[in-house]
Structures are given as C-alpha cells and as structure tokens.
Amino acid sequence: MARNLLVRCSYCGTAYHGFQIQKNGDTVAARLMEAIFQVTGEASPTIGCSRTDAGVHAREYFFNFHTGAKISSERLPAALNAHLPYDIAVTACREVPEDFHARYRAVGKEYCYFIHNSPVRDPFCESLKYHYRYPLDEKLLDHAAKWFVGTHDFSAFCSAGSSVKDTVRTITEARVSREGELVLFTVRGTGFLYNMVRIMAGTLLGVAEGKLSAQEIPDIINSCDRSRAGITAPAHGLYLNRVFYTWEEFETLPGR
Amino acid sequence: MARNLLVRCSYCGTAYHGFQIQKNGDTVAARLMEAIFQVTGEASPTIGCSRTDAGVHAREYFFNFHTGAKISSERLPAALNAHLPYDIAVTACREVPEDFHARYRAVGKEYCYFIHNSPVRDPFCESLKYHYRYPLDEKLLDHAAKWFVGTHDFSAFCSAGSSVKDTVRTITEARVSREGELVLFTVRGTGFLYNMVRIMAGTLLGVAEGKLSAQEIPDIINSCDRSRAGITAPAHGLYLNRVFYTWEEFETLPGR
C-alpha cells in the first residue's frame, strides 16, 4: 500500500536552475528524486509546493511523493540527507492523506527579500543577499509596501512567459524592516505570479531611488502594465520563507 | 614621497589558500596586490597582520603597503573594491607613520570559531560555519575555555610545521556563548601559534564529547604535548574577528 509523504526541506538555490526538474541544468527536485531513489529504490516524482527560479532560495519548502517503501517518516529525513548535497537539507516528514498535494493544498506562502544595504559589499553573502549600496529608508519602503496588501489583479507584477490566466492574487501582509545593514521585505499571500515578489522588490527599490512614488503603486497595480512597475530584483535576494497548509497535523512539525 | 597606508578589509577565505602570497594557489594577498597595481600602477608588497590558513575567514584584517601614488586614503577603499573579487572587501584606509608594520604593531587579536549546532545542517553556510550535530552544552564549554586564559607555553596547542621558537602566549579572554543554533567560541590574546585557535576549538569539542574533562586543560597546557590536546577543528569555522593596535588614530576608523 503506497503512502503519501509530505517532506519539509530548505535549500540554497545558488547552484540550481530552480526547484522543478528540467532537461538542461541541475535542479533541486532532481537531487531529491536521486536521494529518494537511493533510499527507497523507487523513482518517485516529487510534487513541489512552488516553482522557484534559478538562484532563488528556500528557508522552508514542502514537497510530497508517493512510496511503497517501508521506511518510517521519522527516519526519512536523516536517510535522505545522507544522499543529498550540503545545500539541500530535509528537516521533517509526515505521512499525509492519499490525495494531499503540496502545491494545491498550500493556502498561503511567505517570501522574504533580503537586501544587504551598505556602501561596502559583504564578502560572506554574495549569492545570499542583494547588495544595495545607497541609503534605503525602510520606513518609506514599509509605507509603500502596504499598497500591495489586498486582492488585486497583479498582472503589472508578472513577468512575460507566464501562462497563468487568472492574475488576481490576495496579499495579506507586506512589510519592510531593518536590522542593522539588513533590509528585509516580507510579503505573505495566498498565491504569487511569476516573478511577482522580485518585481515588488524592484518596485520598492524604484521608490527608494525616487523613480516612482509610493502613492503611484495603486495606479501601477490598476494599470495592469508590467512596464510601469519596477525592475525584477535579482533572484539571489529572494527566499521562500514559509508555506501554510490547512491540515491539522501540520502544526506538529518541529519548528512551527 | 612614498606614503605608508594601513588598509582594513574583510574576506571570505573559502576560495583562497590563505592570506599570504604563495607560488601555488590563489591567495588574498595576491588579489590585493593585483588591485593595488590596477589603482596605483605599482607592484607594492602587502604586509599582512596575520597569516591565515586556507579556508579561514577574516571579518577584520589589516595590511599596510607603501606607495608613491597620489590617491587619497579616503578614495582608496572604493578604488580597490572596484578591482577586487566579491569575497574580498576593503572597508577603510588610513595613512600611518613610515615605520608602521601591520603585523609587528598588532598588540592583540580576537578570533571567533563558529559552530552551527543542530542535528540538521544549514544549507546556507557550508563553508562559513562548522556543522556539529550533537548537543553542545555551552556553559560547560565556557567553563572549559576559561582555562586557556593567562600566559602559558601553548606548544600543546601548536601544529607541527611551525618554526616559532618562543611558544609562550598570553590569552586575555576566552568564552563560549550560544545564540540559538550558533555556538560561538571567542578568544582574544596578544598572539597565537600556528593552528592554536583551531586546536583550542577541537579541545573544547573533545570536552563536549567526554573524551577530555575541562579540568584536564591545565595539565594538557603544562604537558606541552600536542597529542594530548583535541583535534584541529576545521578551518572553515574560524574567523579573525578583530585586530588591535596601540595607535591613537586607529579608533577613528569607521566601525570601531
């Protein structure tokens, strides 16, 4: 009898062409499938909670896969970690109902965009934070970010190449804070379009640079015109930070 | 008239065979000399405050060099940074007296050894912290570290291959603290022998594992026997953290 296992992991995206398996280029899913094969002897497809772009990181990521193998969900994380590269770490596993789907059942996600804001770069985090050398006023950016909250057609914040038809999304929380030289944009919502958080971050940087005013953001959203929003901020500042499910046992995962 | 410039930098040591120039392998000093040549047109030797091993990092490092070039010490950091790789960053520069020598004039140094203490590895810091998966009691280790303080012959904490004859050093401060999953060993002293901090860190891990008791540390020091101390902990957990000079203008450097 096949079980359906939900697995939590985190990964540094620097070396990967995103999560999702593709023909050319190493991916997180390919490494996970390889480790699952080593542990179970089965070639089980991994169903990820989200596609992430090349270079994007995940502090918390969920995927599920079906297996006939006997290994307990408690032992699986250490078993998979023994077969995974250092930059992918499995942190928890739970058996879930047969029809549980890591993407369809996700009811919300939180992304963080990390900006190292200093005149001088930090030699320790080239691929882990976006270095921005000019002063940033986090209060101004926090004020600007509040305009993202609500249910809107976010097509102005969606890169070309997306095949999604319904571009309405609900953002439940958006804030910008500072800890020393780290400026952090956190955004939580029920779903996100292709590159949406990176374009939001780029738009906030446009506000910081005076190219846009915070008050223009509602107009930019209403315009549904990608060219009016800011740049797509670089991938390496972006982290999928948390994923939410309405599943009662979910809160028993360690670290929740 | 040649000036003597003292430069502060920080670097991630992962890609380098230590600070000091060598025939085989890329070094921090080689990259700095290259950048200095680009800026000044001169092949000036860099006089470093310390040799660091391959893979060891520096959050603060000083070197000096002599130059006949006209560039101001205020402009030099940005000029050098433009010619340095991302993992080396110059943060300040001051003109110093002709005879100032970054190594001989250093009166103290502080090293930090970073341990990521968690059953599961952190995919974001493979080369930046030493991953130790078993529980560590930071209070026990802090107690053990106190035995290092004082003026001792530290030859039990010196790797073979060192040509130093005087192996007496003074440790002014040694402590172990925890912030969440990060366990930090900080040690300050007037000077350090080859691999001394890494052997101290390895000895503390030996105490954590019950291979040694904290109370044995004075005996190990007195034995002058390298084989009685712990392992040489891996290079990638070690950071040169601060360097001290008795030079009045030193305290005017940004960030002091």
Side-chain angles (χ1 to χ4, degrees), chain A residues 10-13 57-59 80-82 84-91 116 120-126 128-129 131 239, chain B residues 10-13 57-59 80-82 84-91 116 120-126 128-129 131 239:
Chain A
S10 65
Y11 58 82
C12 176
H57 314 293
R59 302 219 286 187
L80 290 178
N81 283 332
L84 284 167
Y86 201 99
D87 52 10
I88 304 173
V90 169
T91 56
H116 173 239
V120 180
R121 61 184 174 252
D122 178 348
F124 300 104
C125 61
E126 174 167 16
L128 298 177
K129 289 170 199 161
H131 177 225
Y239 292 71
Chain B
S10 65
Y11 57 83
C12 176
H57 314 293
R59 302 218 287 187
L80 290 178
N81 283 332
L84 284 167
Y86 200 98
D87 51 11
I88 304 173
V90 169
T91 55
H116 173 239
V120 182
R121 62 182 174 253
D122 177 348
F124 300 104
C125 61
E126 176 169 15
L128 298 177
K129 289 170 200 161
H131 178 225
Y239 292 70

